[in-house]
C-alpha cells in the first residue's frame, strides 16, 4: 500500500497508485474476484486498459481453463457464486468483445455505456426500504470481510480518523473508490454530524485536485450497510453543478428538487430533517460545497427498472446504461422525465 499520509495528496499520486495497485493485485492474486475487479476498473479508463489488457487477456484464458476443468471433473468450485456467475457471463461475451466504457451527452446530461457494470450483484440496493437506519449486520456483506483485504488501495489515518480506501469492484466514475471511515467501529450506513463534517473537511482540502465524495443513504442506492463514501475525481463538472440550474443561482429548473449548501452546519440541518422524516437522499461533496437530492425510496411504485438502482450519479445527471440501444437513443427529455419521478 502507498505510504502517503493521504491517498488524495495529489492527482498524479492517486493516478499512479491506483494503476500500480491494480497491476500488483492482478499479478499477486489469481482468484476470479480480483480478475473481475481489475478488468472492470481497466475497462473504465482507456489508459488503464492499454496498460493492463495484455495481462488480463492471459489471465482470462487461464481462469477459463481452470473453471472448465473443475466443472467437467464435477469438483466443487472454491470461488464465490457471485464471481463465478460474473465470469461465466464474461466467457459468454468473449474477452475480445469486452470494451472500454463509452460516453456521450444528451443535452446537459452525461450518458455512459458500460455493460460490465450490469453484472454487479444488487446486494441491499435491491431491498425493500423501511428505514434509513438499519442495524449493522456482522454476518452480512461489509468492508471488514477478510477476503476484501486484497482490494484495499490505501489504509491509514485521514483527517485524524483511521480510514480505509478500497477499489470499487464495478466502477462508474474516474478513480472510483470506497472510502470507509473508522472501519472497525462497524457503523451502519447512517450519516452522523461528525462524519458529515469529516467528508466536508476532506473535500475542502483535497477538492482542488478534483476530489469528490458521494453518499447514498439506505433506500437511495446504497448497496452495503457499513458507513462509507464513494470517492472519485471529476475532470469536468457533473451536470448537477452547472451554473444554469436554479439551485446554483441560474434560471433553469432541475428535473427534481436539489439543494446546494456552502456551509456544513446549514447542510446538516437539512440532513437532520430528512433523518427525522425517514426520507432517502443522495449527496455530492466537492470543495466547500454540497449538493443534496432528497428522493423517493428505490422501491417506490413510481420507479421502473432499471431506474430503481439509480443513486448519486444519476441524481447528479450522469447515467450508466447497459444496453447499446438505450445508450444511443436516450434523449434529454426522456432522462429528465425519469429523474422527475424521484421527486419526493
Amino acid at each position: 500500500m502507498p505510504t502517503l499520509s493521504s491517498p488524495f495528496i495529489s492527482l498524479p499520486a492517486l493516478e499512479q497508485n491506483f494503476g500500480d495497485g491494480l497491476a500488483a493485485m492482478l499479478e499477486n492474486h489469481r482468484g476470479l474476484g480480483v480478475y473481475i475487479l481489475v478488468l472492470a476498473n481497466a475497462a473504465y479508463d482507456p489508459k488503464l486498459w492499454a496498460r493492463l489488457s495484455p495481462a488480463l487477456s492471459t489471465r482470462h484464458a487461464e481462469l477459463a481453463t481452470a473453471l472448465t476443468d473443475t466443472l467437467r471433473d464435477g469438483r466443487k468450485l472454491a470461488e464465490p457464486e457471485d464471481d463465478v456467475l460474473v465470469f461465466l457471463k464474461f466467457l459468454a461475451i468473449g474477452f475480445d468483445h469486452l470494451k472500454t466504457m463509452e460516453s456521450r451527452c444528451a443535452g446537459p446530461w452525461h450518458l455512459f455505456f458500460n455493460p460490465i457494470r450490469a453484472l454487479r450483484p444488487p446486494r441491499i440496493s435491491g431491498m425493500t426500504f423501511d428505514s434509513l437506519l438499519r442495524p449493522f449486520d456482522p454476518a452480512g456483506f461489509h468492508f471488514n470481510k477478510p477476503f476484501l483485504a486484497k482490494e484495499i488501495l490505501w489504509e491509514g489515518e485521514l483527517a485524524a480518523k483511521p480510514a480505509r480506501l478500497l477499489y470499487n469492484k464495478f466502477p462508474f466514475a474516474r478513480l472510483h473508490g470506497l472510502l470507509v471511515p473508522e472501519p472497525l467501529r462497524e457503523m451502519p450506513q447512517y450519516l452522523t454530524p461528525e462524519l458529515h463534517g469529516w467528508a466536508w473537511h476532506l473535500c475542502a482540502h483535497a477538492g482542488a485536485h478534483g476530489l469528490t465524495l458521494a453518499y447514498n443513504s439506505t433506500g437511495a442506492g446504497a448497496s452495503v450497510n457499513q458507513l462509507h463514501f464513494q470517492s472519485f475525481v471529476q475532470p469536468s463538472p457533473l451536470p448537477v453543478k452547472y451554473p444554469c440550474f436554479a439551485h446554483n443561482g441560474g434560471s433553469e429548473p432541475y428535473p427534481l428538487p436539489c439543494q446546494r449548501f456552502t456551509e456544513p452546519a446549514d447542510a446538516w440541518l437539512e440532513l437532520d430533517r430528512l433523518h427525522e422524516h425517514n426520507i432517502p437522499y443522495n449527496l455530492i461533496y466537492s470543495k466547500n460545497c454540497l449538493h443534496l437530492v432528497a428522493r423517493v425510496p428505490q422501491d417506490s411504485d413510481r420507479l421502473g427498472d432499471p431506474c430503481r438502482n439509480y443513486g448519486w450519479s444519476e441524481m447528479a445527471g450522469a447515467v450508466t446504461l447497459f444496453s447499446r440501444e438505450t445508450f444511443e437513443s436516450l434523449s434529454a427529455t426522456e432522462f429528465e422525465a425519469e429523474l422527475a419521478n424521484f421527486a419526493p
Side-chain angles (χ1 to χ4, degrees), residues 109 254-257 293-296 300 302-303 307 310 314-315 332-344:
W109 315 112
Y254 201 66
L256 74 168
V293 176
R295 42 154 307 165
V296 298
S300 169
R302 282 197 236 157
L303 307 178
C307 298
Y310 282 5
E314 290 80 11
M315 298 302 107
T333 301
E334 289 169 327
F335 181 59
E336 288 161 11
E338 288 182 350
L339 288 185
N341 288 330
F342 284 85

Side-chain angles (χ1 to χ4, degrees), residues 111-273:
L111 275 56
F112 301 95
F113 176 52
N114 187 0
I116 290 177
R117 183 164 168 79
L119 309 181
R120 162 182 173 265
R123 298 201 174 100
I124 69 166
S125 65
M127 291 179 65
T128 300
F129 174 74
D130 52 14
S131 174
L132 287 174
L133 177 60
R134 286 175 177 262
F136 179 84
D137 179 9
F141 184 91
H142 57 79
F143 298 115
N144 295 340
K145 294 288 187 179
F147 71 86
L148 291 177
K150 57 185 173 293
E151 300 179 12
I152 297 172
L153 170 59
W154 177 94
E155 191 167 22
E157 187 164 294
L158 189 59
K161 288 189 180 298
R164 183 177 296 161
L165 179 63
L166 298 95
Y167 286 97
N168 193 317
K169 193 169 185 177
F170 294 93
F172 53 95
R174 185 165 180 259
L175 303 175
H176 198 171
L178 300 167
L179 182 61
V180 186
E182 302 187 271
L184 297 184
R185 283 180 62 185
E186 297 189 332
M187 296 174 284
Q189 184 73 345
Y190 189 78
L191 199 56
T192 64
E194 176 189 13
L195 289 164
H196 162 66
W198 184 78
W200 190 290
H201 173 87
L202 287 179
C203 288
H205 288 79
H209 308 319
L211 174 68
T212 308
L213 295 179
Y215 178 88
N216 294 330
S217 78
T218 301
S223 60
V224 180
N225 187 27
Q226 182 174 6
L227 205 146
H228 67 285
F229 301 88
Q230 298 189 33
S231 65
F232 57 101
V233 171
Q234 195 63 34
S236 58
L238 287 161
V240 75
K241 298 182 181 181
Y242 288 175
C244 62
F245 289 122
H247 57 262
N248 295 322
S251 59
E252 295 184 23
Y254 201 66
L256 74 168
C258 177
Q259 298 179 72
R260 177 180 182 270
F261 296 94
T262 56
E263 294 292 337
D266 293 341
W268 183 256
L269 289 175
E270 176 62 10
L271 288 167
D272 192 45
R273 185 188 74 81

Side-chain angles (χ1 to χ4, degrees), residues 67-140:
L67 183 62
T68 301
D69 290 346
T70 299
L71 292 173
R72 285 174 176 169
D73 292 344
R75 289 178 280 130
K76 184 177 180 181
L77 296 170
E79 302 277 4
E81 289 186 11
D82 283 351
D83 290 341
V84 172
L85 181 58
V86 170
F87 187 73
L88 288 173
K89 291 177 180 179
F90 285 166
L91 287 178
I93 295 168
F95 185 85
D96 291 341
H97 295 283
L98 296 170
K99 304 294 185 182
T100 56
M101 182 270 300
E102 300 175 40
S103 64
R104 72 175 184 91
C105 288
W109 315 112
H110 298 174
L111 275 56
F112 301 95
F113 176 52
N114 187 0
I116 290 177
R117 183 164 168 79
L119 309 181
R120 162 182 173 265
R123 298 201 174 100
I124 69 166
S125 65
M127 291 179 65
T128 300
F129 174 74
D130 52 14
S131 174
L132 287 174
L133 177 60
R134 286 175 177 262
F136 179 84
D137 179 9

Side-chain angles (χ1 to χ4, degrees), residues 15-55:
E15 288 176 325
Q16 186 68 44
N17 291 326
F18 197 92
D20 289 350
L22 290 173
M25 200 185 310
L26 187 63
E27 181 177 351
N28 297 326
H29 300 280
R30 299 195 167 271
L32 291 178
V34 163
Y35 173 78
I36 292 165
L37 183 152
V38 176
L39 174 68
N41 277 270
Y44 192 86
D45 185 329
K47 290 182 180 178
L48 286 174
W49 185 258
R51 175 181 177 182
L52 298 172
S53 59

